[in-house]
Amino acid sequence: MNLWHRPLTANELRQCLRIAFGCTLGFLLCKLFGWNYGVLYTVTPVLLLGMVPVMNGHAARQLMAAAVICGVEVGLLGGLFGGHPGLMIPIAFLLFLYRFAAMSRGSLFLFGANGVMSLSIMLHFASYPQTDLNDLIFNNLWASTLSVLIAYLMTALIPDVEERPKPAAPPKAPHRMRHEALLGASIATLSFMVFQIFDLRDSMSAQATTLLLLFPMHWNGALSYARKRAMGTLLGVTFGLLSQLVLYDWSGLLLLVAPMLWLGAMLFSHAHVKEASGSGVGFGALTTLGILFGQYLAPGNDLVFSALYRVSSILFAIVATLLACYLIHRLLNRFEATRFGY
């Protein structure tokens, strides 16, 4: 309980401000210039600034490499195998596998995490004939580029006051890394198949949840994060509903929407930095808020229905993903080469 009652340190307060202003700036630029896929411009800065406390060149290179490689892969796969789901599934598994292998090693976690999220969502939307594939790839690449620029700008304008200690990742045994990579790739591929089979094109938040649950890279971590993700989703949706009630018919006025988004991002980033656990309640609420504002809060859209749909779809996605994760975890642990424990 001391975690929640202690005051923020100077560095933590500045990280909260960087997340809130970065998220709001990405949202504003997207709306002002009329770019498609507003969720990319709102959520990607949150992912970057939330996972990387202080922006650096290594993080920027990982994010840009993930966006470029994902664009090339989706462009080739969409053009060559878009109408052949039987070929798409094993190829998607291999693409997920090397990304989760990069995440398991630690030093390329951001490259793998951003690549997994982008690849899954882009492959899903690229399968629909009405999707402009070039527009989708360009927006993903531009959103990543803009997020890097925003992160550097926020770091320059709101710098830390003291140097942060560099986290040291503990070494992992090869059989544990194989377990993590195979578990993540299997669940990500199953998620892709389910969303394709049931034509769930309007469940981006649920699709993202199935992947975010895998970020701890093991069963116990997924189980712990599932509870936090559910709580974060409820908090994000509640704030979104309150924002809709406050704004009512003025949800198209950026002058009023932007402060509401900044306030929500500031509140949830406060929880995120205090948790200091990577993906927790605060981070789940931040991503939910970014999806609601970036994709659904617009004139003529019913945010209330969207918010309630987000809750039900995410809770179902959590239960289904945990079940699949447990079964695959047990299966991999039967073999010494892919056992998780030491």
Side-chain angles (χ1 to χ4, degrees):
M1 294 300 293
N2 292 332
L3 176 70
W4 301 107
H5 293 294
R6 69 169 178 83
L8 289 175
T9 66
N11 277 359
E12 288 174 339
L13 176 59
R14 281 161 173 76
Q15 185 181 358
C16 289
L17 291 170
R18 288 196 292 267
I19 294 172
F21 280 112
C23 171
T24 306
L25 181 57
F27 172 79
L28 282 173
L29 290 174
C30 168
K31 297 303 180 182
L32 287 173
F33 288 99
W35 296 326
N36 295 325
Y37 304 100
V39 65
L40 296 175
Y41 296 95
T42 310
V43 175
T44 308
V46 170
L47 293 174
L48 184 57
L49 291 166
M51 296 174 68
V52 183
V54 180
M55 189 59 190
N56 56 72
H58 183 55
R61 288 188 293 271
Q62 289 186 74
L63 192 71
M64 293 308 302
V68 171
I69 293 174
C70 185
V72 172
E73 290 170 346
V74 171
L76 291 175
L77 289 175
L80 297 176
F81 305 110
H84 304 281
L87 293 174
M88 282 284 288
I89 291 171
I91 293 174
F93 174 81
L94 293 175
L95 296 180
F96 286 129
L97 184 62
Y98 86 79
R99 285 175 166 85
F100 277 103
M103 291 171 65
S104 182
R105 292 184 179 276
S107 60
L108 296 176
F109 184 88
L110 184 61
F111 166 79
N114 189 70
V116 165
M117 294 287 290
S118 298
L119 181 68
S120 179
I121 292 172
M122 290 176 68
L123 277 181
H124 179 59
F125 281 97
S127 66
Y128 297 108
Q130 63 269 31
T131 300
D132 186 338
L133 192 56
N134 292 327
D135 185 51
L136 177 62
I137 294 172
F138 169 78
N139 276 282
N140 182 64
L141 181 59
W142 179 231
S144 298
T145 304
L146 191 64
S147 297
V148 169
L149 296 176
I150 288 174
Y152 271 119
L153 177 63
M154 294 299 107
T155 303
L157 294 177
I158 315 173
D160 278 351
V161 295
E162 56 186 9
E163 188 175 355
R164 293 173 182 258
K166 294 183 178 179
K172 295 180 180 179
H175 54 82
R176 173 172 173 171
M177 289 193 289
R178 286 191 287 268
H179 179 102
E180 292 176 345
L182 288 170
L183 176 68
S186 300
I187 300 296
T189 305
L190 284 173
S191 169
F192 172 69
M193 291 171 57
V194 168
F195 278 84
Q196 286 283 284
I197 292 171
F198 292 99
D199 194 21
L200 302 174
R201 70 184 71 185
D202 194 34
S203 301
M204 185 183 294
S205 52
Q207 188 176 4
T209 295
T210 62
L211 303 173
L212 288 170
L213 287 179
L214 303 174
F215 281 14
M217 305 292 290
H218 54 88
W219 158 246
N220 290 333
L223 182 62
S224 174
Y225 176 65
R227 294 191 292 266
K228 296 177 181 178
R229 175 66 181 176
M231 291 174 61
T233 298
L234 291 174
L235 288 173
V237 164
T238 300
F239 187 88
L241 290 173
L242 291 175
S243 300
Q244 180 74 79
L245 291 175
V246 171
L247 295 173
Y248 199 57
D249 289 336
W250 298 332
S251 59
L253 296 177
L254 285 179
L255 190 64
L256 299 177
V257 173
M260 295 297 294
L261 175 59
W262 183 90
L263 178 61
M266 191 67 186
L267 288 172
F268 298 140
S269 61
H270 176 274
H272 170 63
V273 299
K274 277 197 171 184
E275 286 176 294
S277 61
S279 298
V281 176
F283 195 71
L286 277 169
T287 53
T288 300
L289 189 70
I291 291 171
L292 286 175
F293 274 75
Q295 189 170 4
Y296 300 106
L297 189 60
N301 280 2
D302 182 8
L303 186 64
V304 175
F305 170 79
S306 299
L308 296 177
Y309 178 65
R310 300 283 83 71
V311 171
S312 59
S313 62
I314 285 174
L315 293 180
F316 180 80
I318 287 174
V319 174
T321 303
L322 284 179
L323 176 61
C325 187
Y326 175 75
L327 294 175
I328 295 175
H329 168 79
R330 290 292 301 271
L331 176 64
L332 292 174
N333 270 352
R334 291 179 177 271
F335 307 97
E336 186 176 351
T338 57
R339 190 165 294 154
F340 177 76
Y342 291 97

